Amino acid sequence: SSRRRHTRYIGDWSSDVCSSDLKFSWNDVNRIKNKFNIPIILKGIATEEDAKICVDEGIDVIYISNHGGRQLDYGIGGADLIQSISKVVKSKSKIFFDGGVSRGTDVVKAIALGADCVGIGRLQCYAAATNGRNGLNKMIDILQHEILVCMRLLGVNNLNDLNENYIIKDNFLLKSVPMRVRLVIDKAAA
């Protein structure tokens, strides 16, 4: 029956995925680098140690991603890794990031923490599902507006001027608040 074939397929797939025979190693990365004269983007980097290996191996782009959190439910979120990986990489590779981006402020925070590029996967899927091409265009307009408003509120004219000093990590509720606003909040709380 159709149901049995589907179940068997899933069973075969899951046993293949869990098999120790499925491996992708640095030898494979080097084989690809040697065969093709293209920039190498390695997605799924989730530790400082892996980022250091990427730099040592000459990877052009380190793509921080936990693949939507589907593989490891309680893994570290990519946004929590940007700053530490950025310090390890020290501009030797570009840093791309995706994961949970739903507003322009999320883009600004990721860039301030050290990302060179920010992916908006689910956001574009939602926009396209809502209204096709027009939805995508509207989403880009809204995202651009939110980024510009956030930059103005931070007193920044260029994305390149952003850095970790614009992010407050010691208080969850105050993330991405300009320092002058934080001082007012701190005084009001005292």
Side-chain angles (χ1 to χ4, degrees):
S1 86
S2 169
R3 184 174 177 92
R4 280 191 185 142
R5 272 184 265 143
H6 180 69
T7 303
R8 193 175 79 231
Y9 174 76
I10 291 172
D12 292 343
W13 173 83
S14 65
S15 65
D16 287 346
V17 169
C18 296
S19 166
S20 62
D21 293 339
L22 292 178
K23 297 176 185 166
F24 190 79
S25 71
W26 287 105
N27 291 334
D28 297 310
V29 173
N30 287 324
R31 182 177 45 82
I32 292 167
K33 279 179 59 180
N34 293 333
K35 186 169 183 168
F36 303 100
N37 187 22
I38 57 173
I40 302 295
I41 300 172
L42 204 54
K43 184 175 182 185
I45 302 304
T47 66
E48 293 174 31
E49 295 81 12
D50 285 343
K52 172 102 173 68
I53 294 170
C54 286
V55 168
D56 293 344
E57 293 291 332
I59 300 300
D60 300 287
V61 177
I62 295 170
Y63 200 134
I64 301 169
S65 175
N66 67 359
H67 308 295
R70 292 182 307 276
Q71 283 69 22
L72 295 171
D73 294 358
Y74 299 100
I76 298 171
D80 293 325
L81 298 166
I82 299 170
Q83 190 174 21
S84 61
I85 287 178
S86 176
K87 288 179 180 176
V88 168
V89 171
K90 298 179 185 165
S91 301
K92 294 176 187 156
S93 297
K94 294 287 185 189
I95 297 175
F96 288 10
F97 161 76
D98 72 20
V101 174
S102 60
R103 294 183 299 260
T105 54
D106 297 331
V107 173
V108 171
K109 285 185 253 185
I111 291 171
L113 289 170
D116 296 298
C117 178
V118 181
I120 54 169
R122 286 187 188 167
L123 192 57
Q124 70 183 358
C125 290
Y126 296 151
T130 302
N131 198 18
R133 183 179 300 192
N134 291 335
L136 285 168
N137 289 335
K138 183 66 174 176
M139 181 268 303
I140 293 294
D141 290 343
I142 291 169
L143 196 63
Q144 181 179 14
H145 175 76
E146 290 174 348
I147 291 168
L148 290 173
V149 167
C150 183
M151 289 171 58
R152 287 181 187 136
L153 291 172
L154 292 171
V156 174
N157 294 318
N158 188 316
L159 289 172
N160 292 328
D161 295 335
L162 292 168
N163 60 51
E164 66 218 23
N165 294 326
Y166 288 96
I167 304 293
I168 301 167
K169 296 187 87 172
D170 61 340
N171 186 332
F172 177 77
L173 296 175
L174 297 178
K175 285 185 178 179
S176 191
V177 176
M179 187 54 73
R180 59 187 168 275
V181 174
R182 181 179 182 201
L183 292 173
V184 171
I185 292 170
D186 288 346
K187 287 179 184 175

